Amino acid sequence: MKQVYLVLSYTGTILSKIVRFYTKKEYSHISISLDKDLKKMYSFGRLNPYNAFIGGFVHESLDEGTFKRFYKTETTIYKIDITDEQYEKFLKLINYFEKKKELFKFNILGLFAVPLKIKVKRKRYFYCAEFVKYALERSN
């Protein structure tokens, strides 16, 4: 049996405040990791810690990038037990996203449609929650 870790976070940035305001949720971002030290987390978010609007598939770490820049980030972590088969499916999916990351874009339009309760689904476009949901579903 293996584990996957869901990392919910709130950085306090303008964008995270907007997301928090409209969702009424404590956290505004989600990442997924396969290691308990959270050295490598995966999500859709900022490609550059200084620009919230240019995003895509990202590797995140508590020690660098956005998490390092916004060191007062609030987080909570959930651990989910998964089977070896689910783990392999997840790993395969992550490897695919890493190899083809230029095909995937940040779904900023979909993110801003959330408060309007409108789903904007575009092929190969994700925001963080869409990606984590997709990864969990594809891994069963």
Side-chain angles (χ1 to χ4, degrees), residues 112-124:
F112 284 112
V114 169
L116 304 173
K117 298 187 183 345
I118 298 170
K119 289 194 180 206
V120 176
K121 200 69 181 132
R122 298 186 296 168
K123 191 174 183 177
R124 297 190 194 107

Side-chain angles (χ1 to χ4, degrees), residues 46-107:
R46 296 171 183 238
L47 292 173
N48 178 326
Y50 295 93
N51 187 329
F53 297 101
I54 298 175
F57 178 69
V58 291
H59 295 136
E60 298 173 317
S61 169
L62 298 178
D63 302 327
E64 56 191 46
T66 301
F67 285 102
K68 182 177 180 180
R69 179 167 183 239
F70 301 101
Y71 60 91
K72 292 184 180 181
T73 296
E74 300 167 17
T75 61
T76 193
I77 302 163
Y78 293 93
K79 177 176 79 169
I80 301 171
D81 291 325
I82 59 174
T83 66
D84 291 343
E85 181 182 337
Q86 291 168 322
Y87 180 89
E88 290 304 319
K89 284 182 180 181
F90 183 79
L91 204 52
K92 194 174 189 178
L93 178 81
I94 292 300
N95 287 333
Y96 177 76
F97 271 78
E98 285 180 325
K99 286 179 186 169
K100 304 285 187 178
K101 64 182 165 191
E102 69 281 349
L103 295 177
F104 300 101
K105 306 293 181 215
F106 185 65
N107 190 5

Side-chain angles (χ1 to χ4, degrees), residues 17 21 32 35 55 61 67 98 102 106 131 133-134:
K17 287 177 182 177
F21 175 79
I32 194 163
D35 65 283
S61 169
F67 285 102
E98 285 180 325
E102 69 281 349
F106 185 65
F131 169 71
K133 180 180 184 234
Y134 179 82

